[in-house]
């Protein structure tokens, strides 16, 4: 990720209004025939499932690349459904296209969602889902030849897997390879289990994780980077057949380089004091509990977290929160990775990487395993209540933002492993918060919402340390008409006479006209 010296410019240039906007492209229409449309989008199976479930309000979710086919699919379904059934098209998903958009579906009070295209198959929280993978064509003889070139040994141990849109070619491909004399080929079947040994796949053999590492993976079609990273530590090698170019790539070494880059992001968050939790989906089961889990883990590490719901991510949205030093995305295992993050002001990582970043330096060991979603987020333990002995004369003057810590001076020094510099703000919630003489210790008797902080202290709000308020106090130049952090601000209360007159001429002060 390129190091940015300042947040990206979000304003529009002044001469932008003088530039003519290009005309919008004409709406694309489906070029598929009725028979091809019925086969790819599985119209008969979808009709049977909808009628059997008795659904009357139906939401169709398409990826952006298949939206031109949406009107034709909707028409084909409406013609064969009961007259009282109503079909809605979700044209713009709230989050990743692989996730079921329950938020948009509830806007039309849908009873079921028909999801088209590739999917992460993560468990949903509310609505039932009918998955249609939209089967794509594959040159099977060419795929067999490419496999033979990649694995000349007939006894090679290989597991054949494909993207959901090409999965129906796995069984014929394996049968053709067995006819060629291959004895160690194993096909995969689709299951809704992202936490499985192979995510969302099952194999006929009962293999352990160690046994699986002796196999190579032959994957049909280019998988997303998050899938490659998740599979890289589970197989001996990866071999990807591109369905478009009919070429085979071995991304094993490239994936290892990507993992090293991800670990660099982990080190960035390890020295960050303010973490932003990005809610990238609300449709996955246990998403709310996972957010609470992350908050608890970050708080236990002495860091401050802020939760932000932004929908689809882009650098402009996140640049509005300059006080946040790093982000963690709460999403599915396929859509939770921000791969092209060079334009982001702060690093963006996954919940699995966040757990690694919160570990102590002596415990932070990454063996190459990687995960992009919240499905494998370990359960947080309840915080233990620790007894802290405090002298009575000190209790009224100093209290800590985190129990069991006596102040900043008692903490061991922390260093940024990337730069070697001393970090003094990586755990702001463990810095001491001192009460002002005019602010009473009981929250019920306190009349001041925000108190002044002495040099070296963090601003507190209602007795709780707030790094965000500290950033606004020290980092922002505009502090309003009056500030609680300035001793002498009488100048801001002086009333001065401004301009008066009409638009053709203004009078300023003692009669000077403009």
């Amino acid at each position: 990720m390129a190091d940015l010296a300042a947040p990206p410019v979000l304003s529009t240039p002044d001469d932008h209004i003088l530039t003519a906007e290009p005309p919008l492209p004409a709406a694309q229409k489906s070029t598929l025939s009725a028979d091809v449309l019925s086969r790819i989008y599985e119209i008969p199976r979808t009709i049977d499932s909808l009628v059997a479930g008795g659904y009357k309000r139906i939401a169709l979710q398409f990826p952006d690349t298949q939206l031109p086919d949406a009107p034709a699919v909707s028409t084909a379904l409406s013609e064969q459904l009961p007259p009282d059934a109503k079909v809605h098209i979700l044209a713009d998903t709230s989050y990743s296209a692989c996730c079921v958009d329950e938020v948009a579906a509830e806007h039309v009070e849908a009873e079921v969602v028909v999801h088209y295209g590739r999917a992460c198959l993560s468990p949903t929280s509310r609505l039932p889902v009918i998955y249609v993978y939209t089967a794509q064509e594959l040159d099977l003889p060419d795929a067999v030849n490419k496999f033979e070139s990649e694995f000349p040994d007939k006894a090679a141990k290989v597991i054949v897997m494909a993207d959901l849109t090409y999965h129906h070619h796995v069984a014929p491909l394996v049968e053709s390879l067995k006819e060629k004399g291959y004895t160690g080929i194993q096909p995969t079947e689709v299951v809704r289990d992202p936490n499985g040994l192979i995510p969302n796949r099952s194999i006929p053999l009962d293999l352990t994780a160690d046994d699986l590492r002796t196999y190579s993976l032959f994957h049909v079609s280019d998988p997303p980077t998050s899938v490659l990273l998740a599979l890289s530590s589970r197989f001996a090698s990866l071999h990807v057949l591109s369905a478009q170019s009919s070429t085979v790539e071995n991304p094993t070494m490239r994936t290892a380089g990507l993992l090293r880059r991800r670990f660099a992001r982990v080190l960035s968050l390890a020295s960050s004091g303010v973490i932003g939790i990005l809610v990238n989906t609300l449709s996955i089961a246990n998403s709310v509990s996972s957010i609470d889990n992350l908050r608890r883990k970050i708080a236990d590490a002495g860091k401050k977290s802020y939760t932000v719901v932004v929908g689809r991510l882009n650098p402009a949205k996140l640049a509005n929160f300059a006080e946040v030093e790093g982000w963690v995305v709460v999403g599915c295992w396929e859509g939770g990775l921000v791969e092209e993050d060079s334009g982001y002001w702060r690093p963006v990582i996954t919940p699995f990487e966040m757990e690694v970043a919160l570990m102590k330096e002596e415990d932070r060991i990454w063996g190459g395993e990687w995960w992009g979603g919240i499905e494998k987020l370990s359960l947080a333990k309840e915080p233990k209540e620790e007894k802290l002995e405090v002298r009575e004369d000190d209790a009224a003057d100093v209290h800590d933002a985190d129990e069991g810590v006596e102040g900043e001076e008692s903490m061991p020094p922390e260093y940024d492993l990337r730069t070697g510099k001393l970090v003094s703000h990586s755990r702001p919630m463990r810095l001491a918060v001192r009460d002002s003489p005019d602010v009473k210790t009981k929250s019920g008797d306190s009349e001041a919402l925000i108190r002044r902080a002495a040099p070296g202290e963090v601003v507190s709000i209602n007795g709780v340390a707030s790094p965000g308020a500290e950033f606004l106090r020290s980092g922002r130049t505009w502090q309003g008409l009056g500030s609680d952090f300035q001793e002498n601000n009488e100048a801001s209360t002086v009333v001065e006479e401004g301009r008066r007159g009409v638009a053709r001429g203004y009078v300023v002060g003692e009669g000077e006209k403009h």
Side-chain angles (χ1 to χ4, degrees):
M1 181 181 67
D3 294 333
L4 299 179
V9 178
L10 306 181
S11 60
T12 304
D14 296 337
D15 56 354
H16 180 73
I17 59 176
L18 304 178
T19 304
E21 293 289 341
L24 295 176
Q28 298 181 358
K29 296 182 179 180
S30 177
T31 59
L32 302 178
S33 63
D35 294 339
V36 175
L37 191 78
S38 177
R39 175 178 56 82
I40 293 179
Y41 290 93
E42 302 182 30
I43 301 297
R45 182 180 72 86
T46 306
I47 293 292
D48 295 339
S49 300
L50 294 175
V51 173
Y55 302 115
K56 302 302 181 182
R57 300 186 68 86
I58 304 156
L60 309 182
Q61 180 179 341
F62 294 84
D64 293 342
T65 56
Q66 296 177 346
L67 277 177
D69 299 331
V73 174
S74 176
T75 301
L77 292 176
S78 301
E79 291 175 349
Q80 303 182 49
L81 287 173
D84 55 345
K86 192 168 184 178
V87 179
H88 302 269
I89 299 175
L90 306 182
D92 187 17
T93 56
S94 302
Y95 303 104
S96 302
C98 62
C99 297
V100 177
D101 194 354
E102 291 185 330
V103 175
E106 289 181 347
H107 288 170
V108 296
E109 300 180 354
E111 301 172 352
V112 64
V113 177
V114 182
H115 186 281
Y116 295 97
R118 65 182 324 278
C120 59
L121 299 182
S122 297
T124 54
S125 56
R126 294 178 292 274
L127 295 177
V129 185
I130 299 175
Y131 288 100
V132 179
Y133 303 142
T134 61
Q136 304 296 319
E137 296 295 333
L138 177 68
D139 190 345
L140 191 59
D142 182 70
V144 172
N145 294 333
K146 292 295 189 297
F147 187 95
E148 289 181 312
S149 301
E150 197 73 12
F151 299 97
D153 184 8
K154 300 294 183 179
K157 300 169 67 174
V158 183
I159 291 180
V160 179
M161 179 179 170
D163 191 82
L164 290 176
T165 56
Y166 293 91
H167 177 74
H168 59 289
H169 296 293
V170 170
L173 177 59
V174 171
E175 291 298 325
S176 300
L177 292 173
K178 288 183 177 180
E179 293 176 358
K180 295 284 187 178
Y182 285 92
T183 58
I185 308 300
Q186 298 295 333
T188 55
E189 293 294 335
V190 176
V191 293
R192 292 189 62 181
D193 184 16
N195 293 328
L197 188 61
I198 304 176
N200 291 330
R201 298 294 189 277
S202 64
I203 52 179
L205 299 180
D206 187 12
L207 299 179
T208 63
D210 294 335
D211 296 334
L212 190 64
R213 292 189 183 96
T214 63
Y215 281 78
S216 297
L217 176 66
F218 186 80
H219 194 283
V220 179
S221 79
D222 298 309
T225 303
S226 57
V227 177
L228 278 179
L229 294 176
L231 297 175
S232 60
S233 62
R234 304 169 189 244
F235 294 93
S237 61
L238 304 177
H239 307 265
V240 177
L241 171 64
S242 176
Q244 285 73 27
S245 60
S246 297
T247 58
V248 178
E249 178 194 5
N250 188 333
T252 305
M253 299 303 296
R254 177 169 61 89
T255 305
L258 292 175
L259 286 175
R260 290 193 294 269
R261 291 184 58 191
R262 299 310 307 172
F263 190 68
R265 306 294 190 276
V266 170
L267 296 181
S268 300
L269 268 292
S271 59
S272 301
V274 182
I275 309 298
I277 301 176
L278 288 173
V279 182
N280 195 31
T281 181
L282 291 173
S283 301
I284 300 179
N286 302 324
S287 59
V288 176
S289 60
S290 297
I291 296 173
D292 295 336
N293 195 353
L294 275 174
R295 288 174 178 168
R296 190 181 304 113
K297 287 176 177 289
I298 294 174
D300 291 343
K303 301 176 184 292
K304 178 66 175 179
S305 65
Y306 295 96
T307 305
V308 181
V309 181
V310 295
R312 291 190 178 185
L313 302 182
N314 61 62
K317 289 182 180 179
L318 302 191
N320 291 316
F321 305 93
E323 59 269 31
V324 176
E325 301 175 6
W327 300 91
V328 54
V329 179
V330 177
C332 69
W333 71 284
E334 287 193 16
L337 173 65
V338 179
E339 181 182 0
E340 299 296 334
D341 58 355
S342 59
Y344 286 84
W345 171 229
R346 298 299 188 186
V348 185
I349 65 174
T350 67
F352 169 80
E353 295 169 341
M354 188 74 250
E355 286 190 312
V356 178
L358 295 177
M359 294 180 182
K360 297 180 180 179
E361 291 184 11
E362 58 270 18
D363 300 332
R364 190 180 298 136
I365 300 176
W366 192 350
E369 181 184 0
W370 186 89
W371 193 251
I374 61 175
E375 294 84 1
K376 291 189 176 182
L377 188 63
S378 60
L379 297 178
K381 297 181 180 179
E382 293 295 333
K384 297 181 180 180
E385 296 183 359
E386 300 182 6
K387 296 182 179 180
L388 180 64
E389 297 181 1
V390 182
R391 293 185 303 175
E392 294 182 358
D393 54 348
D394 293 335
D397 181 52
V398 179
H399 68 274
D400 293 334
D402 195 326
E403 288 189 25
V405 179
E406 297 181 355
E408 182 180 8
E409 296 181 356
S410 64
M411 295 187 296
E414 292 193 33
Y415 296 90
D416 190 333
L417 297 181
R418 300 171 302 140
T419 62
K421 296 181 179 180
L422 178 65
V423 180
S424 60
H425 60 278
S426 62
R427 302 181 187 276
M429 302 307 290
R430 291 184 179 176
L431 299 179
V433 178
R434 298 180 181 271
D435 291 326
S436 296
D438 58 340
V439 180
K440 299 181 179 180
T441 56
K442 294 183 180 181
S443 59
D445 298 334
S446 176
E447 297 180 357
L449 177 62
I450 302 178
R451 57 174 282 293
R452 297 183 181 92
E457 294 183 10
V458 179
V459 174
S460 65
I461 299 180
N462 285 336
V464 179
S466 176
E470 173 66 22
F471 179 86
L472 293 176
R473 182 185 72 87
S474 59
R476 297 284 177 90
T477 56
W478 168 250
Q479 297 181 347
L481 297 178
S483 176
D484 294 331
F485 307 108
Q486 295 179 359
E487 296 294 340
N488 299 318
N489 58 352
E490 290 82 1
S492 63
T493 61
V494 176
V495 179
E496 297 180 358
E497 183 179 0
R499 293 182 176 183
R500 67 181 186 273
V502 294
R504 64 181 181 180
Y506 294 96
V507 178
V508 180
E510 298 298 332
E512 182 181 356
K513 295 185 178 181
H514 295 273

